[in-house]
Amino acid sequence: MVVFAVPAEVAVILLDIEGTTTPIAYVKDTLFPYIKDNVKEYLRAHWEEEECQQDISLLRKQVEEDSNLDGVVPIPLETGNGEDEVEQVIQAVVDNVHWQMSLDRKTTALKQLQGHMWRAAYATGRMKGEFFQDVVPAIRKWREAGMKVYIYSSGSVEAQKLLFGYSTEGDILELFDGHFDTKIGHKVESESYRRIASSIGCSTNNVLFLTDVTREANAAEEADMHVAVVVRPGNAGLTDDEKSYYSLITSFNELFLPSST
Ligand SMILES: CSCCC(=O)C(=O)COP(=O)(O)O
Ligand SMILES: [Mg+2]
C-alpha cells in the first residue's frame, strides 16, 4: 500500500465530497436526476414561499453574470400574477436549471436550489448519502488522533448536511467540525482556501486538503495548504504530469498521521 505521510504541522483535514468521500456515480445517477425530474413540480409547489423566491433571485443574478455565455437561458421578471405568466417563468427556471446542469455548473445559485430540493428526498428516506467504505472509519481514527475535519464542497452547506445527516451509515454529522461551500469562494481560486483557514482559525499550512480535482488541488497548494489528490473508481483520469506532480491516494487508509508512528 502507498502511504502519504501527513506533515506534522497538519492539524486539520479538509475534504471534498464528489469523487473524494462519495462516488461520482451517486451524484450523477441519484442526486442530479432527482433535480432534473422534479424541479418543475417543486417550483409549482413552493413558488409563493420566500425561500423559493430567494433562490429564483439568485438564479436571475447568475443569468446576468452568464450573459456572455452561449446558450444561457434568461429568467423573465414576473409583471403580474396571472397563472400563465407564472407558468412561463417557472418553465424558464426549469430550462435554466437544466442548462446549468448539462454543463455541470457549480454556481452558488444552482447549488442552493438543489440543496433545498433534496431536503424532502432525504427526509422521506428516498435518498441516503453514500461514501466509499474507507471514509467513515478513517475519519473516526483521524478524530481520535486529534485532527479537526471539515468539508469543502461545491454542494451547498445545506446539501452537505443532508448527505451526511441521512446516510447509509446513519447520521454522521458529528464527525465534522464545520462545512464550507462556494459562498466562501470558488474551489479553483486560492483565495477561498485562505478564507477557509482564517475562518477555522489556523494557518493554511496547518491544513491538508483532499480532492479528486487537480485544479482545486492547485488552488489550495497556491494558498500553501498541503494537498493529496484522491483517485477513486469513476473519477476523471489524470495526465502523466499530474500523476507525477501530485501525491496520490486511492483510499483514506493511505494517510499516515504523525501520531500513528
Ligand atoms: C452535497 S454535495 C452534492 C454534490 C454536488 O452538488 C457537487 O457539486 C459536488 O461537488 P464537489 O465540490 O463535492 O466535488
Ligand atoms: Mg470533487
Side-chain angles (χ1 to χ4, degrees), residues 98-135:
H98 280 236
W99 170 71
Q100 288 205 55
M101 291 185 71
S102 72
L103 301 173
D104 197 18
R105 301 288 303 285
K106 304 284 187 185
T107 64
T108 303
L110 175 65
K111 296 292 156 186
Q112 183 166 301
L113 173 67
Q114 287 177 337
H116 293 150
M117 285 187 63
W118 285 321
R119 215 156 32 195
Y122 279 109
T124 56
R126 181 170 169 170
M127 285 181 346
K128 280 187 198 296
E130 290 178 15
F131 318 110
F132 292 104
Q133 49 90 22
D134 51 284
V135 168

Side-chain angles (χ1 to χ4, degrees), residues 16-18 31-32 106 111 114 153-155 159-160 187:
D16 163 64
I17 293 180
E18 186 187 13
L31 290 182
F32 287 177
K106 304 284 187 185
K111 296 292 156 186
Q114 287 177 337
S153 169
S154 305
Q160 298 172 22
K187 293 179 79 186

Side-chain angles (χ1 to χ4, degrees), residues 90-185:
I90 287 176
Q91 188 58 50
V93 176
V94 171
D95 293 343
N96 179 281
V97 165
H98 280 236
W99 170 71
Q100 288 205 55
M101 291 185 71
S102 72
L103 301 173
D104 197 18
R105 301 288 303 285
K106 304 284 187 185
T107 64
T108 303
L110 175 65
K111 296 292 156 186
Q112 183 166 301
L113 173 67
Q114 287 177 337
H116 293 150
M117 285 187 63
W118 285 321
R119 215 156 32 195
Y122 279 109
T124 56
R126 181 170 169 170
M127 285 181 346
K128 280 187 198 296
E130 290 178 15
F131 318 110
F132 292 104
Q133 49 90 22
D134 51 284
V135 168
V136 175
I139 296 175
R140 289 195 204 282
K141 263 198 235 154
W142 300 341
R143 291 182 62 84
E144 276 163 27
M147 286 284 165
K148 299 242 177 257
V149 183
Y150 287 81
I151 298 290
Y152 181 29
S153 169
S154 305
S156 66
V157 167
E158 179 156 17
Q160 298 172 22
K161 289 185 175 170
L162 290 166
L163 181 97
F164 293 108
Y166 297 91
S167 84
T168 53
E169 315 263 341
D171 178 352
I172 55 160
L173 275 173
E174 61 174 21
L175 295 183
F176 303 104
D177 294 282
H179 298 257
F180 299 96
D181 61 20
T182 53
K183 285 190 181 148
I184 201 130

